[in-house]
Amino acid sequence: MVIKNIAGDMTPYSNRKIENQRTAEQQRRGQESARTSGEPADKVVLSSEARLRGAALQAANDAPDVRRRKIDDLKQQIKDGTYKPDLKRAAANLIRDDLDLLSTQSE
């Protein structure tokens, strides 16, 4: 004789699965009611740091594109073979940057 589970699968896993489905359905209904009530369902609040970063990004985007022209000029000089970098100045700048880095790490 074969006995089948008439009430369905009653394992803890299947019970949790049913509860998750009910919770998801309730959340969906809550979102729908928030939409229909005219109130926003979600709200975004930015920190002061995020607002500051946004303002800095906007200021950088609004700044004149002087740097872009300089880069384009240098690219053209390299392409033409007329670019002659000042190697001593470049080396001095690298050393200065390294010394600045070392001094900030020791503080």
Side-chain angles (χ1 to χ4, degrees):
M1 177 168 108
V2 176
I3 300 175
K4 296 184 179 182
N5 190 352
I6 297 172
D9 192 6
M10 298 303 288
T11 64
Y13 173 75
S14 64
N15 290 341
R16 214 174 305 134
K17 189 173 165 183
I18 291 170
E19 289 173 12
N20 287 342
Q21 288 174 350
R22 287 180 187 155
T23 305
E25 180 65 24
Q26 289 170 350
Q27 287 176 348
R28 186 184 60 76
R29 286 184 188 152
Q31 289 173 350
E32 286 178 359
S33 66
R35 284 188 203 126
T36 57
S37 67
E39 296 177 16
D42 296 324
K43 184 177 181 181
V44 176
V45 178
L46 298 177
S47 69
S48 58
E49 182 180 348
R51 287 191 297 271
L52 183 62
R53 286 178 184 236
L57 178 63
Q58 185 64 39
N61 287 336
D62 292 343
D65 204 12
V66 175
R67 196 86 173 139
R68 170 59 39 202
R69 282 182 288 195
K70 185 175 183 178
I71 291 170
D72 290 340
D73 289 343
L74 288 172
K75 282 183 179 181
Q76 188 60 42
Q77 288 177 12
I78 292 170
K79 193 180 212 182
D80 296 340
T82 59
Y83 178 64
K84 304 291 184 218
D86 184 355
L87 298 178
K88 287 184 181 182
R89 183 174 164 201
N93 288 338
L94 289 172
I95 292 170
R96 184 198 67 224
D97 290 346
D98 285 346
L99 291 175
D100 288 345
L101 182 63
L102 289 174
S103 68
T104 58
Q105 288 180 350
S106 64
E107 292 176 359

